[in-house]
Amino acid sequence: MSVLSPEQISERFRAFSPGSRLGYAVLLALVVISFGYGFFFQVISMNSETQVSGSYFFLYNLVVFLGFGALWLLLHKSYKARSASPARVFWTMLLLGLLFISAAIPLTSFGRDAELIDVFDAVDEFDYNTGAPLVVTTIFKSTFLSLFALIFTLYMIFRIKDLVLFKRTKTAQRNWYLMMAAMVVASLTFFMKSPREDPNILQVIALIPPLGLMVVNSLRASWIVYLNFKEKLISISLSTLLLIFLLTSVDAGPLPNPSPFLQDLFVYIQFYNYGLNIFVMLGIGFGVLYCTASLLLLLFHLPTTGDFQRKEHERAVMHSLTELINQASDPERLYAQIAASPVEAGSAQASWLAVADPQSGSLTPQIVATNKVTPGRVSRLVDTVSLFSDVSASGAYIYLGEAAADHRLSVRPGDGFGSMLAVPLIAREETLGILFVTKDVTHGFEQDDIDAIQVYAAQAAIAMDNARLFEEQLEKERLASELDIAREVQRKLLPQHVPVVDGLTIAASNVSAERVGGDYYDFLALDDERLCLVIGDVSGKGASAAFYMAEMQGIFQSVSRLAPNPSEFLRHANAALAHSLEKNVFISAIYGMLNLKTEEFTMGRAGHCPVAMIDLAGNARYLRPAGLGLGLDRGQLFEKTLQEERISLNPGDVFVLYTDGVVESRDVEGEEYGYDRLLESLKQHRHEDAEGIHDAILGDLDGFLGIESYDDDMTLVVLKWNGINLASAQSNSVKAKKSAAQIEQKID
Amino acid sequence: MSNFSVGFRSLQSVNVLDLKGELDAHTASELEAAIKKCQDDSIYQIVVNGANLNYISSAGLGVFMAYIEDLRSKGGDIKIAALQPKVFNVFDLLGFPMLFDIVDTEEEAIEKFDAQQTAE
């Protein structure tokens, strides 16, 4: 026994997949064979004197049922489920119904002897005992009527399914398929039934489930909610017509009045196949039920149309809004989406969006997106500029029911601009753009349409506004990332480690209030004997300060090697900076020189905070020689006022250099840390090494502030002189090692 | 949110600017605007009264530096009066007293202007 591989199986099934020619051909052949067989069987039974034997009759029923199934599949395959409008569904059903009866009327009325018509059944055409047809025309009639009736019924069921399963839920889908199954089961209970017999109790019971489910399904009409007033009226009239048609033209079994057109239709079908007759009756009955229910629901919903419309539009707008938000990253796509949505939602036939471009400054509106109309056509036919200014000025929409009559439009009837609506997109009291929507009919927009488009425009405005904010944010982030790079560069300008010098401990740190700062400190070993250091503070904050700080670094690294003393250095620095500093920018600095050989500390102060110093005994003071800030005076005054301070070093001497961020930091009450607290803290911790003192001062400052953020750049450098160890005096040299000096960054 | 304000007072040919609050990088532009306005009104003699100035940052000091040359070239000046000790210390550290007349009272500042006028 060969087992088919999955590929082979799917290959076989693909032959029957929708759209495949082979599938169609096979099904069509089945239908033809089945109806052909049925036809010949009828001919044979017509010519036989007696009742056809049971097994033949069974075979006949089996074949015709298979034929019906094949026809069902064929129609199902060829039927394209579309979310068509309800009006269209009713309309097409009506059309097919008319086709059906126009084909069926000649068949039913052909060869009828009006004299012999029995009101109850057409006994004249079927044998009273066997139920066999009496003449060949009868066979034709019953075969083709059955075929047409089945096609019509199936088609109607498919159409109604689109409506019932509109916005489908699991339950709705289950109920639908249950109903179809129950209809088939009920039909099958009449499988071998002779048309001459009455239904037995079992068969009557089998009819109950399909009828119940038909009622349940006919109440599924959620599509009604989505119709506007006009569409509802159309649906009402069409469903009424269809209902009238079904009740009058198609003689639906249980009804008292037989159809005036299709005499004894169901008799013919019943004699062809009792089961089919039941199925067709149920199908048409369902059509009647559904039309009735729809009609009643439509009438019932008519007064609340506005509310539902608003609800629905809110929902639709929310949906569009999520669409819009997805486009927020790209203005072009956002514009296209804004222009497309009214057309997609069926609120308009064409639309376009005009935006007053803020970059151009002239505020001339530009058409940025169109839908179902070309920009060229718009600019030819519509004076967008004057409409834009009118709408912007009033802040309200303009509705032209007869667009051709308005002087701002040069349209003629037939241009497709029957009516036009221009709605402003307003966000934060600014008209960002105007959405134009048009229909080819005059007076094409009802008040509820206008309301809906206004709601949509408001949302679109928010989306556009967000897109702009998003752009700005991107720009900000670009800047921020550039500043991050600047900070990295700046960090490299600051010493990566403090120098290691015999007899001296050094600790230093720098914190910027913003990403980049204007504080600077540095060390430079000139030779084995001399260590230079500088601390500086550029006025102002941020990027400009950072540039001058970088310049200061360049000056320090180069001029230090040439200047014999602090005064000389500061003079050179002032002269160099005079060329580049803005008028309102100056730099305060302290330049110090430590001579290990002479054990002296020499310093000059250019407007900077005084150096705090303390000796082993605890005598603390500030060193404040006179001196102007760098860049304040570009002439003689700077040199005249500059003084130097020279200190002979004793073991235990501590020098603290800092920027104003330290002493001017204020706690929540606004009190400054101040010079006294700094000196007090220094006194308390003077016995520790430089790093200990440095950390203690910062700790004391943090404790005083009670917060972890600073308003200003802050730099703190501590030097402690321990004295030269004579044994290593010969070899003392200035080296560098990794230090704990950290350049932190204040996170805002 | 700005906790800084500039008040104008006009006394003959002298404009008095009353500074109040905190002058820093964020509020410096207000003082700039005030001095610009004096220039536009062709008044180049400015007295800055700092009695109510509680704090000044280096960016605030920069404003004085930005305009002083211009004003002096037009025969005017900025004289700074009545600074609180803490604020004066900031001016003093940088050596501003070498560059500006910084006096104890507004009257003194106006007298200095008058003395200059008569000298000319």
Side-chain angles (χ1 to χ4, degrees):
Chain A
M1 181 179 159
S2 69
V3 179
L4 289 172
S5 69
E7 285 78 18
Q8 284 171 304
I9 291 172
S10 66
E11 193 59 44
R12 300 207 172 186
F13 274 103
R14 203 168 302 139
F16 295 95
S17 65
S20 83
R21 289 224 181 115
L22 183 61
Y24 279 125
V26 168
L27 288 172
L28 194 60
L30 276 175
V31 173
V32 171
I33 289 166
S34 140
F35 277 88
Y37 176 83
F39 185 83
F40 284 113
F41 179 88
Q42 299 271 23
V43 173
I44 291 162
S45 69
M46 179 181 82
N47 293 329
S48 71
E49 296 298 314
T50 55
Q51 181 87 30
V52 181
S53 73
S55 55
Y56 280 114
F57 191 57
F58 174 81
L59 186 66
Y60 163 76
N61 275 304
L62 189 67
V63 171
V64 293
F65 261 103
L66 282 175
F68 300 152
L71 183 64
W72 188 332
L73 276 176
L74 190 66
L75 283 177
H76 187 76
K77 276 161 75 87
S78 59
Y79 180 80
K80 299 269 186 297
R82 281 185 304 264
S83 55
S85 69
R88 195 186 176 130
V89 170
F90 288 124
W91 171 241
T92 48
M93 285 202 282
L94 199 56
L95 199 67
L96 195 84
L98 290 170
L99 265 174
F100 166 58
I101 66 160
S102 59
I105 286 171
L107 280 172
T108 49
S109 49
F110 176 77
R112 284 176 81 90
D113 192 340
E115 302 279 314
L116 291 174
I117 287 178
D118 185 310
V119 177
F120 300 104
D121 52 15
V123 284
D124 55 328
E125 299 204 34
F126 294 96
D127 184 279
Y128 188 81
N129 293 316
T130 62
L134 298 177
V135 282
V136 179
T137 51
T138 306
I139 302 174
F140 265 107
K141 281 182 181 180
S142 63
T143 305
F144 282 100
L145 282 173
S146 300
L147 181 63
F148 292 158
L150 182 58
I151 291 173
F152 171 67
T153 309
L154 286 173
Y155 183 82
M156 189 164 72
I157 286 170
F158 293 159
R159 287 311 274 177
I160 293 175
K161 181 184 174 183
D162 287 346
L163 291 183
V164 171
L165 295 187
F166 179 79
K167 304 271 172 213
R168 65 180 61 194
T169 61
K170 265 208 162 64
T171 323
Q173 206 163 326
R174 193 198 60 206
N175 288 345
W176 176 264
Y177 289 116
L178 274 176
M179 179 183 85
M180 295 314 298
M183 281 166 72
V184 172
V185 168
S187 308
L188 284 172
T189 57
F190 290 82
F191 186 67
M192 290 280 287
K193 199 163 176 59
S194 157
R196 289 283 175 224
E197 297 167 14
D198 282 324
N200 60 32
I201 184 71
L202 186 72
Q203 288 161 334
V204 172
I205 288 170
L207 288 173
I208 294 169
L211 288 169
L213 286 159
M214 274 154 63
V215 172
V216 170
N217 279 317
S218 61
L219 294 173
R220 284 269 321 164
S222 48
W223 47 271
I224 288 175
V225 174
Y226 299 92
L227 301 184
N228 64 28
F229 198 80
K230 206 188 294 179
E231 288 166 332
K232 278 193 183 143
L233 287 179
I234 292 168
S235 296
I236 285 172
S237 38
L238 284 173
S239 60
T240 308
L241 279 175
L242 185 63
L243 189 60
I244 291 167
F245 167 81
L246 288 174
L247 291 177
T248 58
S249 308
V250 184
D251 179 5
L255 295 163
N257 302 322
S259 158
F261 309 115
L262 298 178
Q263 309 256 15
D264 304 324
L265 167 71
F266 290 98
V267 176
Y268 287 108
I269 301 175
Q270 189 170 323
F271 276 92
Y272 184 77
N273 183 298
Y274 209 138
L276 176 68
N277 188 35
I278 294 295
F279 185 82
V280 170
M281 276 186 168
L282 285 172
I284 289 173
F286 181 57
V288 171
L289 256 180
Y290 198 76
C291 281
T292 312
S294 298
L295 192 55
L296 291 173
L297 287 169
L298 278 164
L299 289 168
F300 175 74
H301 277 296
L302 213 46
T304 57
T305 300
D307 303 337
F308 276 115
Q309 283 289 290
R310 262 187 292 285
K311 269 266 172 290
E312 163 55 15
H313 273 293
E314 275 168 28
R315 197 196 60 78
V317 161
M318 286 313 290
H319 177 72
S320 319
L321 184 60
T322 54
E323 285 287 308
L324 291 175
I325 285 168
N326 291 338
Q327 311 294 352
S329 56
D330 180 358
E332 295 304 313
R333 281 172 57 190
L334 176 65
Y335 293 152
Q337 183 67 42
I338 290 173
S341 284
V343 178
E344 282 171 4
S347 314
Q349 272 154 333
S351 62
W352 64 93
L353 177 68
V355 170
D357 189 39
Q359 268 77 43
S360 69
S362 67
L363 293 185
T364 313
Q366 307 289 329
I367 295 163
V368 290
T370 62
N371 196 290
K372 297 279 184 287
V373 62
T374 60
R377 199 169 146 74
V378 171
S379 49
R380 234 189 359 265
L381 298 177
V382 182
D383 183 357
T384 306
V385 175
S386 69
L387 276 165
F388 198 103
S389 62
D390 292 353
V391 172
S392 304
S394 65
Y397 69 87
I398 289 179
Y399 174 47
L400 307 173
E402 291 174 5
D406 194 87
H407 66 279
R408 290 163 296 196
L409 280 79
S410 50
V411 298
R412 287 184 303 279
D415 276 342
F417 288 9
S419 41
M420 189 181 84
L421 177 65
V423 185
L425 272 58
I426 300 170
R428 290 186 291 179
E429 295 173 4
E430 187 195 347
T431 305
L432 300 178
I434 292 182
L435 179 66
F436 294 87
V437 295
T438 63
K439 279 189 176 176
D440 54 5
V441 292
T442 53
H443 305 290
F445 296 95
E446 304 290 335
Q447 188 56 46
D448 58 2
D449 296 333
I450 295 173
D451 291 345
I453 289 169
Q454 273 194 286
V455 172
Y456 173 73
Q459 303 283 19
I462 290 167
M464 259 169 75
D465 195 40
N466 285 347
R468 287 183 187 195
L469 289 174
F470 185 76
E471 281 288 302
E472 284 168 23
Q473 188 59 34
L474 268 185
E475 189 56 38
K476 269 205 189 110
E477 277 168 23
R478 263 197 291 277
L479 269 176
S481 73
E482 279 176 13
L483 278 173
D484 279 339
I485 295 165
R487 182 167 59 90
E488 283 306 305
V489 172
Q490 188 167 38
R491 268 184 44 176
K492 291 203 166 65
L493 296 179
L494 293 170
Q496 304 302 297
H497 18 247
V498 295
V500 180
V501 181
D502 280 342
L504 191 67
T505 55
I506 305 174
S509 69
N510 159 269
V511 180
S512 286
E514 290 165 20
R515 277 194 173 76
V516 289
D519 278 12
Y520 171 59
Y521 72 96
D522 209 346
F523 308 94
L524 184 68
L526 289 180
D527 48 39
D528 283 356
E529 293 171 7
R530 289 177 302 160
L531 174 76
C532 305
L533 65 133
V534 71
I535 185 165
D537 182 357
V538 181
S539 70
K541 272 191 275 192
S544 68
F547 280 114
Y548 294 124
M549 173 256 165
E551 191 178 0
M552 191 71 204
Q553 194 257 0
I555 290 170
F556 174 73
Q557 291 288 343
S558 52
V559 177
S560 289
R561 299 174 198 277
L562 313 170
N565 56 48
S567 306
E568 203 59 33
F569 171 86
L570 290 170
R571 264 204 294 280
H572 278 294
N574 193 50
L577 288 164
H579 295 295
S580 58
L581 288 182
E582 292 281 318
K583 271 189 202 171
N584 62 335
V585 178
F586 50 86
I587 301 176
S588 69
I590 282 175
Y591 184 91
M593 223 181 239
L594 230 136
N595 193 313
L596 305 179
K597 200 170 178 186
T598 60
E599 297 188 33
E600 275 182 329
F601 177 64
T602 328
M603 62 160 281
R605 190 185 69 90
H608 198 78
C609 303
V611 175
M613 97 157 268
I614 194 162
D615 62 15
L616 203 55
N619 301 310
R621 64 189 179 104
Y622 280 106
L623 309 176
R624 188 178 163 172
L628 283 172
L630 300 169
L632 287 179
D633 175 83
R634 295 158 200 225
Q636 300 298 303
L637 190 61
F638 181 86
E639 293 181 30
K640 269 199 289 210
T641 51
L642 192 64
Q643 295 175 352
E644 250 178 36
E645 185 130 359
R646 188 177 298 262
I647 306 237
S648 290
L649 294 170
N650 296 304
D653 282 355
V654 179
F655 298 92
V656 179
L657 290 78
Y658 53 94
T659 53
D660 56 10
V662 175
V663 287
E664 287 181 5
S665 279
R666 286 176 289 177
D667 67 4
V668 282
E669 273 93 48
E671 194 179 344
E672 288 184 358
Y673 182 68
Y675 293 94
D676 297 347
R677 281 194 187 82
L678 177 60
L679 227 49
E680 198 51 47
S681 179
L682 184 54
K683 269 183 194 163
Q684 274 179 18
H685 300 281
R686 69 176 186 277
H687 298 299
E688 298 175 31
D689 65 356
E691 203 160 320
I693 296 166
H694 172 275
D695 295 351
I697 291 171
L698 282 189
D700 189 53
L701 175 62
D702 285 346
F704 167 79
L705 295 177
I707 42 169
E708 278 289 318
S709 69
Y710 310 111
D711 304 339
D712 197 356
D713 303 342
M714 206 156 76
T715 300
L716 182 64
V717 179
V718 179
L719 297 121
K720 184 164 188 178
W721 176 252
N722 295 322
I724 299 285
N725 180 349
L726 287 174
S728 63
Q730 302 308 313
S731 67
N732 80 63
S733 60
V734 180
K735 295 182 290 242
K737 76 159 188 192
K738 265 224 174 308
S739 80
Q742 288 169 331
I743 297 98
E744 297 167 58
Q745 185 222 338
K746 174 199 161 197
I747 310 293
D748 285 299
Chain B
M1 253 298 288
S2 155
N3 47 2
F4 176 76
S5 64
V6 184
F8 274 94
R9 276 182 294 131
S10 194
L11 305 170
Q12 297 107 32
S13 61
V14 180
N15 250 3
V16 181
L17 303 184
D18 291 303
L19 306 192
K20 190 167 183 293
E22 304 187 352
L23 179 56
D24 59 21
H26 305 288
T27 56
S29 55
E30 293 181 49
L31 178 59
E32 273 185 40
I35 297 175
K36 261 209 192 83
K37 191 182 179 310
C38 294
Q39 282 184 317
D40 294 344
D41 298 349
S42 304
I43 293 178
Y44 306 114
Q45 302 194 328
I46 299 171
V47 173
V48 170
N49 185 324
N52 293 314
L53 182 67
N54 304 323
Y55 171 82
I56 190 161
S57 78
S58 55
L61 294 169
V63 178
F64 295 104
M65 294 307 302
Y67 291 93
I68 191 68
E69 232 175 85
D70 212 19
L71 288 167
R72 284 179 183 164
S73 72
K74 294 203 166 76
D77 197 5
I78 297 179
K79 298 196 192 301
I80 301 163
L83 291 175
Q84 296 175 16
K86 218 174 258 175
V87 176
F88 174 78
N89 187 43
V90 176
F91 277 89
D92 191 32
L93 271 179
L94 276 157
F96 267 63
M98 308 274 182
L99 306 164
F100 290 83
D101 283 328
I102 300 182
V103 293
D104 289 342
T105 63
E106 189 183 310
E107 289 74 27
E108 247 179 284
I110 293 168
E111 274 168 30
K112 281 203 171 199
F113 271 123
D114 292 345
Q116 276 173 8
Q117 292 279 21
T118 49
E120 287 163 20

